[in-house]
Amino acid sequence: MGFNPYEQEEDFYWIPRYYKHLIPDYWNVYGYKNNQVSVLERLYDDDEDWDKIDRKMGPRFDVVQIWTIQNPRTYGRYAKKMEKYEDWYDREPKRWELFHGTQAKNVESIIDNNFDLRNLHTKDSSFYAAGEGVYFTNKAAYADWAVGGQNTRCYMFYCEVLIDKIKNVSNPNSVRLGPPARPGYETEVARVRSEGGDPHPSMLYDTTSRTDKDEYVKFKRNEYYPTHLIMYDRCY
């Protein structure tokens, strides 16, 4: 499939000094000064996280292996965004656990760089049902549909996603990439409405969703982090 996650178990990332205090306690750190981590830390089937993810995957999929993703740079940016959420909304940010399906050729890039908004389709003919952004879902079967192809052995990510205010949409062309959602945009919203316009959802919301709630769309960077890589077999 062009990607072997077992090989990345031998790769180590240095922890930047300015992110070290943000690294989760459950990460396994190494080195003389505990300043590096293995990028993929393999779980075992008696692990609590394995059991939780396996149950959420459901009977249509056979979980082969799960790895905890430990990228201190991308996690550090995500943790910084959590701090901003707390400032914006004056409360602890809500962290949802959702799936993201992708083709095997994209897996290594996502581990290294997180999900990249620059790779998104941005034309008016966009097929996205809830606008342009990074898609997540609470249903493994829906994430598997995004994987596509005919392979029996596949990958998907289990992710932590910051979601505070959701805008349900039915017209994908009404949702374009725009300014970040945060308090203080009331004046700008009022101006747009006074001119007869419809404020971009991102002025008021940080997430868009289809009305059936199968998918959630994030249109700003670092508001999500892939916590686990799942290798699975399709059982149908």
Side-chain angles (χ1 to χ4, degrees):
M1 297 178 66
F3 170 73
N4 185 353
Y6 295 103
E7 294 178 351
Q8 280 200 283
E9 292 179 8
E10 304 301 322
D11 292 344
F12 289 84
Y13 286 165
W14 293 97
I15 303 174
R17 174 175 48 82
Y18 42 85
Y19 286 154
K20 192 169 184 179
H21 67 290
L22 300 172
I23 298 304
D25 294 336
Y26 60 84
W27 282 21
N28 291 323
V29 295
Y30 303 93
Y32 173 67
K33 295 183 179 180
N34 290 334
N35 59 356
Q36 56 184 331
V37 294
S38 57
V39 59
L40 292 181
E41 190 78 14
R42 194 186 309 188
L43 298 184
Y44 295 92
D45 56 11
D46 60 350
D47 188 277
E48 182 179 345
D49 283 347
W50 179 298
D51 182 62
K52 176 180 67 176
I53 293 172
D54 186 39
R55 283 187 284 105
K56 291 187 71 173
M57 290 287 289
R60 297 179 62 182
F61 308 108
D62 180 22
V63 174
V64 178
Q65 186 59 61
I66 302 176
W67 292 266
T68 298
I69 300 172
Q70 301 179 151
N71 186 328
R73 295 184 183 278
T74 56
Y75 184 85
R77 298 185 189 108
Y78 169 70
K80 288 292 187 181
K81 184 58 70 78
M82 278 194 285
E83 293 177 350
K84 287 187 177 181
Y85 260 63
E86 191 164 358
D87 291 340
W88 292 342
Y89 299 111
D90 196 27
R91 60 176 175 269
E92 186 76 17
K94 302 171 186 176
R95 295 180 284 177
W96 294 34
E97 295 179 336
L98 303 171
F99 294 103
H100 177 94
T102 190
Q103 297 178 9
K105 65 180 182 180
N106 300 323
V107 170
E108 189 169 5
S109 175
I110 292 171
I111 291 172
D112 288 342
N113 305 303
N114 207 332
F115 303 103
D116 194 344
L117 287 169
R118 294 173 298 179
N119 293 332
L120 295 175
H121 178 63
T122 56
K123 296 183 179 179
D124 290 340
S125 59
S126 172
F127 62 87
Y128 294 124
E132 294 171 353
V134 181
Y135 274 56
F136 300 94
T137 178
N138 50 18
K139 296 183 179 179
Y142 194 78
D144 179 67
W145 172 83
V147 173
Q150 303 299 318
N151 293 323
T152 301
R153 175 68 52 87
C154 301
Y155 299 99
M156 73 172 64
F157 288 97
Y158 194 63
C159 309
E160 191 173 285
V161 185
L162 300 178
I163 296 180
D164 193 273
K165 296 181 179 179
I166 300 172
K167 170 68 173 178
N168 290 329
V169 297
S170 56
N171 177 11
N173 290 325
S174 69
V175 185
R176 318 302 296 177
L177 298 175
R182 61 176 180 263
Y185 267 79
E186 291 87 352
T187 301
E188 178 66 13
V189 169
R191 182 190 64 78
V192 172
R193 286 175 172 163
S194 68
E195 295 173 353
D198 187 18
H200 188 281
S202 65
M203 290 184 178
L204 302 169
Y205 305 89
D206 62 277
T207 307
T208 56
S209 173
R210 274 180 27 173
T211 54
D212 57 13
K213 299 293 182 68
D214 276 347
E215 56 192 15
Y216 300 87
V217 185
K218 302 296 297 184
F219 36 81
K220 303 304 295 183
R221 295 178 182 177
N222 304 320
E223 295 182 355
Y224 33 76
Y225 178 78
T227 58
H228 297 85
L229 172 64
I230 307 165
M231 176 192 289
Y232 67 97
D233 287 338
R234 291 164 165 164
C235 302
Y236 56 93

